[in-house]
Amino acid sequence: MFIPPRKYLDQLKENQASDETTGQVFLKNNHLIVPNEIAEAVFGEVDFVYLSFKPDVQRLFVVSFHDEVFRKLHEPTMQMLKKRGELPERSIALHEVLIDNDLAQTDRILAHEVRNQRKMLVIQF
């Protein structure tokens, strides 16, 4: 088993602490609701995203539709990244992902991880 040097462990702790302060990602009415600060950091000003659900790890990977490498490696589906009216949030319809993978459709807060180097949002189901 590989154990990274201490300086990398400290960086990992800092990254996790910054993710906790950003806001909550949650599922509401079969839509993934992403706070604006996360959406802007990961997706920028795009209107479409790629989604890829990996059932073996129960994670949903979300990236901007500009990420051609992700598209070629993961065969994702494209979804619209919608603005939610006056609220500083973005939403993504997850009906297909939830039904196809037999995931619970109850409204709830979802554990998430922001991978800044890859500009990727990872959602744990």
Side-chain angles (χ1 to χ4, degrees):
M1 178 162 88
F2 173 74
I3 300 174
R6 183 153 184 74
K7 68 178 184 176
Y8 296 116
L9 290 174
D10 293 339
Q11 287 176 345
L12 181 61
K13 288 178 186 175
E14 289 174 11
N15 289 344
Q16 289 174 345
S18 67
D19 286 349
E20 293 171 359
T21 61
T22 53
Q24 299 292 338
V25 174
F26 57 96
L27 186 67
K28 183 176 181 182
N29 297 329
N30 295 335
H31 284 74
L32 181 68
I33 309 299
V34 181
N36 203 38
E37 62 266 10
I38 293 174
E40 286 180 359
V42 177
F43 311 123
E45 291 297 320
V46 299
D47 292 327
F48 293 93
V49 293
Y50 285 130
L51 303 176
S52 179
F53 184 77
K54 301 297 179 190
D56 54 337
V57 292
Q58 293 289 301
R59 290 192 175 153
L60 176 70
F61 297 90
V62 187
V63 299
S64 167
F65 81 101
H66 292 301
D67 193 337
E68 289 299 316
V69 174
F70 184 85
R71 184 182 63 82
K72 290 178 182 178
L73 290 176
H74 298 281
E75 298 178 10
T77 60
M78 184 183 282
Q79 291 289 336
M80 182 178 270
L81 182 64
K82 303 175 212 164
K83 293 183 181 178
R84 286 192 58 190
E86 299 296 319
L87 300 174
E89 298 172 336
R90 302 279 192 97
S91 69
I92 304 166
L94 293 184
H95 300 86
E96 185 177 329
V97 172
L98 296 172
I99 292 169
D100 289 350
N101 295 289
D102 198 28
L103 298 171
Q105 298 180 18
T106 57
D107 294 352
R108 62 189 182 275
I109 295 173
L110 299 168
H112 70 281
E113 174 187 353
V114 176
R115 297 184 181 170
N116 289 322
Q117 287 185 321
R118 287 283 307 142
K119 297 289 186 186
M120 178 184 296
L121 177 62
V122 181
I123 308 296
Q124 178 69 45
F125 279 91

